Every structure is written in C-alpha cells, then in structure tokens.
Amino acid sequence: MKYKIALFLILIFALQSCQNENEKRLAENAKEAKKKEKIFNNINKAWIFIDEPINEVSEQNIKTWTEWRDFIKEIGDKPRKTIGAFQKKSTAISKKAMALSTSIPNEFNQPAIKSRISVLITKVKMMDLFIHLNQIPDDKVAFLIGEINKELVALERQMDKIVERSKVPKEQGEEDFLKMLDTTRAIPNASVPIDPNLAKVE
C-alpha cells in the first residue's frame, strides 16, 4: 500500500514537472516570436532605399547602363511578410551591387567612381551579412540602409560632376598639358652609361 501511495505521488510530481516544463517552453517560444516580430517590424520600417534617380545623369544611366538599372530596380522592390524574404532580397541586392564594378561605362571608369562603387558594395555586403545572422542586429541593418542611401546619392552626384566637367570646353593646349601630367606616360628614367674614356675634370 505504501508503495502504491509513493508511486502515485511520484507520478503526480512527474506530471506536474512536465507541465511546468511545457509552460516554460511555451513562454520562451512566445517571447522569441515577439522578439522576431519586433526585428521584422524594425527592418520593414527602415527598408526604404532611394531608387529614384536624383539627377539627369542617373536617369540617363538607367537607360544605358544595364547593371545600374538592374541594381536600382532590385533595391526598389521591397520584400513582404517574412525575415526570410528580406534575407533573399538582401542577397539579390548584393549580387547586383557586385555587378556594378565589372561594367562601369567608359566615361565613368575613373578612380572617383570606382572608389564610390567599392564603398557602396562594402556597405551592401555588410547589410547582407548582418541580416543573415541568427540574432539579427536590426539596428545595424537599419543604420546600413541609411548608409547605402548616402553612398547612392554620393555616387550619383559624382557621376553628375564628371558629366558636367566633360561639357566644359578645354582651352588650347590643355590636352597636351594633361598628357604631360600623366605619370604613366612618362619616359622611364634610364641611366646613361658613362664612357670611361672621357676626360675627368679635376
């Protein structure tokens, strides 16, 4: 009889313990779901890219520079519903950003544009990295979206400057002067061998 009572008490205690574990697990799951929802809402709210050209030059580039057009279109399509959708979109944006550096039009193939594109790519890749972490730092993702927008504006303004500069007529002889400044065209400094038979000055 004592054994039956002890067994009954152990059984009640085990069931109570399991129930407490289930309640604890459910509470943790609810807490995690709430946290994920908050992260999603923060990223969803911050996910606003400048996908409209800010000047005429950028508008022209959309017509003529395929990779630029694809990149602008990619950042303009906002994902919906899940964090997974944002992660996929971030990866797609990263790929389109990488393509920019491999196809710069001749008139923009200059160090200033290359460096701006390089910075833009770095920030897009950082955003892609953060959004794929297990614990997504939504504040960093939101910050990087702002930084990417700043880089987009800076890049478009730089392209505009280059086009405006090309419209200014060059003065006579300026082209030759610029060629002389170009160190890549300089004649290599070859030392002339000294003739040992020449008379020495004492």
Side-chain angles (χ1 to χ4, degrees), residues 109-188:
N109 201 356
Q110 298 179 17
I113 295 293
K114 286 179 181 177
S115 65
R116 293 231 178 258
I117 288 174
S118 179
V119 171
L120 177 66
I121 289 169
T122 302
K123 293 194 175 173
V124 168
K125 281 179 148 185
M126 282 173 65
M127 179 190 73
D128 189 39
L129 172 77
F130 283 132
I131 207 164
H132 279 90
L133 294 175
N134 288 333
Q135 296 295 320
I136 300 169
D138 51 319
D139 55 334
K140 287 184 180 175
V141 172
F143 173 76
L144 282 164
I145 289 167
E147 289 295 298
I148 290 165
N149 281 330
K150 283 181 195 171
E151 291 306 324
L152 277 169
V153 169
L155 177 58
E156 290 179 62
R157 284 189 178 145
Q158 189 67 48
M159 290 189 285
D160 190 49
K161 274 184 195 173
I162 288 168
V163 169
E164 287 304 310
R165 235 183 273 141
S166 70
K167 288 177 183 174
V168 176
K170 287 188 169 69
E171 291 183 25
Q172 187 179 0
E174 186 179 350
E175 196 68 45
D176 295 332
F177 179 71
L178 291 172
K179 282 181 185 174
M180 287 186 345
L181 290 176
D182 186 2
T183 56
T184 59
R185 296 174 36 94
I187 298 169

Side-chain angles (χ1 to χ4, degrees), residues 40 44 47 77-82 84-87 89-90:
F40 171 80
N44 189 37
W47 198 277
D77 295 337
K78 187 175 179 178
R80 301 272 182 248
K81 295 178 183 173
T82 65
F86 280 102
Q87 289 171 331
K89 177 56 74 175
S90 178

